[in-house]
Structures are given as structure tokens and as C-alpha cells.
Amino acid sequence: MRILFIGDVVGSPGREMLHTFLPQLKRKYQPTLTIVNGENAAGGKGITEKIAKSFFESGVHVITLGNHTWDQKHIGDYLDQASNIIRPANYPAGAPGSGYALLTINQYKVAVMSLQGRTFLPALDCPFRKAEALLGEIYEHTRIIFVDFHAEATSEKEAMGWFLDGKVSAVVGTHTHVQTADERLLPQKTAYMTDVGMTGPRNAILGMKKESILYRFLTGMPSRFEVAEKSPAQVNGVLISVDPHTGLADDIMRIAIDDDHPFTEEG
């Protein structure tokens, strides 16, 4: 079983790159399951029902979210209706939507879980304890479990990887928008990567226009962050191979597509 995960899609440049390259990536790698983090898809803040549906129409199976989950109006209503778009599971009880999705693909049941870190982010319930509690439910259905850990601190992400090693198929990080080069199989065969990176504007600062962010750093004054619509764009992702019988990973590979790394369907 192959799982293709695309890192944080930012604004219209990210959406365009996803719609352009996802069909090509699927032809080349033949993933069984395709997951996208879409929490920045609507102008860099949140996602709308319309955008989510366009992702599903493009062949995405599950959309994960993060700290910008609630930035778009009425998204809570949609999360209550759709089972394949998930917000972080460690939001307090009563939040709309679900923290994990359970689906059947090629006769195998697969779970996708979303968690959010607490270091340098809003205080939510403990993601470690929440993951532990949810695994008790999920194990009744499957051992193929993919975890998107949306967190700021590298240490917190690494801690989650070690905490879940051997308990889930993969723990990959999102949120910081910079792809790391530490993809590996942990000793108990859980695939791990600190941050998958970003799909969106490349000549920018985390997908946003450079000028407004530089202004804030130089002056300490607030400024409005806007997606760098005219920048060349990139696709960041990861491909993970999982034994469907054990739920453990046997390979993980980074994906980067940009002007310096053009995509080819050969090889």
C-alpha cells in the first residue's frame, strides 16, 4: 500500500500546483491513498467547502487541517457533514467535525488522524494522550494509521514520532512550510518526517509576500500577510509504502517539485 501526502497547500498558487501535478504524481507512483493538508488553501487561511470539494474531485481521499481550521465562515457546518475532511483531534469536546477518518480502500481499512501541537500554538488538549486514546478505537478497525502532526516545534514533532513508533504506520509533520530532509523509518517501522513542507509560492516567506513579513521583522509593526500570488510555485510531499497486513512502513520518500527540481513521470 502506498500513501501519498501533499504538504500544506497555500492559496491559489498551491491549489493550481495541486490540480496540475496530482494527476501526474498519481500516474507515476500509483498511490493507494492520497491525503492533502488543506488548512491554508483559502487565501492562506483555512479552507472552504468549495475548495475541499475541488480537491476531492481531483482524486484526494482525505483532507487534514490545523490551527487555521476555523478561519473560514461556516466551515464547522461542513466538517460536521463530511467524514473525509478532519480537524485536529485534540480540540476540546464539542468542536465540530472529527479528528480522524476511517475509510476502506482496496478491501483494506485505513485511518487518517490529525493532531495539533501545543508548543508556540494555542493550548489544546494533550496531543499525545489524545493519540493514545484514539488508537484504542482505531485498532478495532485497522492497523494502517497515518498521522498528520500539525506542530511548530521540531522537538514536539520528534517526540510524537518516538511516542507512536510501532503503533502507527506514519507520523509526518506539517505547519512550518519548510520541507525537512530527515525522512526515515524509526526502529519499530513507523515512517517519520519532521515537516513535509508546503505546496504554494516558492519565492516568498512561507507562501506569503516577502515585503509585509520583512516590514514586520524590521519595524515590529503589524502588517497584513497576503499570499504571494505571482511567485513561482512548488509542490512538497512524501510517499510512504506500508505493509497492509501489519500496518508498518517499509519505505518513505520525499517529493519536491519546483524550478530546480522539475517533475518527470519517468524513473
Side-chain angles (χ1 to χ4, degrees), residues 138-243:
I138 295 171
Y139 283 162
E140 296 178 7
H141 305 280
T142 184
R143 286 278 175 165
I144 307 169
I145 306 167
F146 179 95
V147 178
D148 173 0
F149 190 32
H150 199 78
E152 183 79 32
T154 298
S155 59
E156 192 175 17
K157 292 179 179 180
E158 287 193 327
M160 184 63 77
W162 288 109
F163 182 69
L164 294 178
D165 184 25
K167 302 174 185 176
V168 301
S169 308
V171 176
V172 301
T174 56
H175 177 67
T176 57
H177 290 204
V178 177
Q179 189 177 71
T180 56
D182 62 340
E183 72 280 6
R184 61 183 291 199
L185 295 181
L186 297 178
Q188 302 303 314
K189 301 297 184 181
T190 289
Y192 173 81
M193 186 173 181
T194 297
D195 202 284
V196 174
M198 176 197 71
T199 296
R202 188 182 186 207
N203 293 345
I205 299 175
L206 307 185
M208 299 294 131
K209 290 181 179 178
K210 301 185 294 293
E211 295 77 13
S212 60
I213 295 181
L214 288 171
Y215 175 80
R216 177 176 288 193
F217 278 122
L218 289 168
T219 67
M221 298 297 292
S223 60
R224 181 181 178 184
F225 291 177
E226 297 178 329
V227 175
E229 301 284 353
K230 297 182 180 180
S231 164
Q234 65 185 30
V235 175
N236 283 168
V238 65
L239 185 72
I240 297 167
S241 178
V242 177
D243 183 333

